[in-house]
Amino acid sequence: MSKKLIVANWKMLPTTLAEAEGVLDLINDYLELLNEKKEFSLVFCPSFVFIEEVGKILKTSHLEHEAELGAQDIAVEDETALTGEVSGAMLQKLGVRYVIIGHSERRWKLGESDQVVNQKLKSAIRNDMVPIVCMGERERDENFSKFLEKQITNTFEGLTSDEISRCIIAYEPVWAISTNPGAHSDTPQSALESISVIKEVFSKIYHLSPKTYLYGGSVNSKNVANFLKEEEINGVLVGGASVNKEEFVKILSLVSKL
Ligand code: PGA
């Protein structure tokens, strides 16, 4: 089985740098104990305010070889006046290698359109980062594949085949995100069905499909192994459980036993 990618989306947590350091310390201790070959790679996506410090911590000890730095968002433009935004060039200088694009909280709670997501995706690519492009339906009904097709068409508009193949796809059904009312994780079977729909759409439109597919939405230590034992699910995007340090270490220990 190839190495799985575990992406921690910290959102607006932890609220202090000391807590963030606590999470990373525990993971570092765990990696130190784990002598055998690691079956996973890690990406930490802290909020902008902690990015620089987290980047420094990731360059130390056991995290250095296992973990990369990611951002949760990126500005659409590189050099212009956009109050409150953080440009790709700024992120690059801080050592950010990955960036989450089109998270459903930005799409649905902040009104980010597919067109804006498309511009952010282009910004990430222009700045040489690996985009982790989130997609997923709001309702699981008979129209879900049509919804995914439209989201893909709009989100990837104008990208070359080479650029598309550099993207990581995170399938995150909106109804499965742990903070949404009534949320529950998807089943591996239905996540696989969606991933296969996404691959078919890419093949149909672009004659190729990205290589890496993550599942996200209420991932925790109870369900992570069920998703990741599937060959076609190459990793997970973890929100709430990634800032609970004991839970996150539990997740890593389960992945290392797959
Ligand atoms: P969750 O969040 O794991 O808390 O459901 C995932 C995400 O929003 O990326």
Side-chain angles (χ1 to χ4, degrees):
M1 187 160 303
S2 52
K3 263 192 178 192
K4 300 290 187 179
L5 181 64
I6 316 292
V7 181
N9 176 11
W10 282 0
K11 307 191 185 184
M12 284 163 57
L13 294 170
T15 51
T16 65
L17 182 59
E19 282 174 73
E21 284 167 353
V23 174
L24 295 172
D25 277 352
L26 196 72
I27 295 163
N28 190 50
D29 293 349
Y30 168 71
L31 294 175
E32 193 172 355
L33 287 176
L34 196 66
N35 287 324
E36 68 257 45
K37 216 171 115 271
K38 318 284 185 301
E39 296 305 328
F40 52 79
S41 318
L42 294 165
V43 176
F44 290 94
C45 304
S47 78
F48 285 136
V49 284
F50 299 142
I51 258 184
E52 185 163 10
E53 284 306 315
V54 168
K56 284 183 197 155
I57 297 170
L58 295 188
K59 288 212 183 80
T60 61
S61 56
H62 296 275
L63 290 162
E64 189 182 0
H65 306 290
E66 317 299 337
E68 296 271 7
L69 188 60
Q72 297 174 19
D73 193 21
I74 187 170
V76 291
E77 297 279 348
D78 296 332
E79 284 175 34
T80 187
L82 279 177
T83 302
E85 292 295 281
V86 178
S87 74
M90 289 168 160
L91 295 174
Q92 259 242 346
K93 285 196 193 104
L94 296 175
V96 171
R97 284 220 45 224
Y98 292 78
V99 59
I100 298 175
I101 303 284
H103 190 280
S104 61
E105 285 154 4
R106 300 203 62 85
R107 290 180 188 268
W108 302 114
K109 294 190 178 164
L110 299 174
E112 209 164 86
S113 65
D114 287 353
Q115 287 64 36
V116 170
V117 174
N118 173 262
Q119 284 178 282
K120 290 188 171 182
L121 176 52
K122 288 175 178 160
S123 169
I125 287 176
R126 208 169 43 240
N127 285 287
D128 250 343
M129 289 172 200
V130 180
I132 300 172
V133 186
C134 299
M135 57 183 60
E137 73 284 358
R138 290 181 89 173
E139 312 267 349
R140 186 69 167 196
D141 55 20
E142 67 284 0
N143 295 320
F144 88 93
S145 29
K146 285 228 159 3
F147 178 92
L148 290 173
E149 176 158 1
K150 183 159 175 264
Q151 206 173 45
I152 293 170
T153 313
N154 293 341
T155 301
F156 290 86
E157 217 249 284
L159 265 72
T160 65
S161 310
D162 178 52
E163 289 166 344
I164 290 172
S165 60
R166 280 161 52 193
C167 295
I168 290 174
I169 304 299
Y171 170 64
E172 290 207 314
V174 182
W175 46 267
I177 305 284
S178 67
T179 44
N180 287 341
H184 55 91
S185 78
D186 202 354
T187 61
Q189 292 66 35
S190 119
L192 283 171
E193 188 192 0
S194 304
I195 288 173
S196 129
V197 167
I198 294 170
K199 286 183 178 172
E200 272 167 37
V201 173
F202 273 113
S203 307
K204 189 172 95 182
I205 309 178
Y206 304 104
H207 309 292
L208 89 162
S209 121
K211 287 182 204 63
T212 308
Y213 288 82
L214 314 180
Y215 166 74
S218 297
V219 171
N220 56 37
S221 61
K222 293 196 183 72
N223 57 28
V224 69
N226 295 337
F227 286 104
L228 290 186
K229 65 186 183 219
E230 302 293 343
E231 196 70 43
E232 291 81 9
I233 302 180
N234 311 109
V236 280
L237 178 52
V238 190
S242 71
V243 278
N244 174 339
K245 52 189 178 185
E246 286 82 14
E247 175 69 359
F248 195 60
V249 165
K250 222 188 230 181
I251 289 176
L252 299 185
S253 73
L254 288 159
V255 179
S256 66
K257 287 190 201 112
L258 280 175

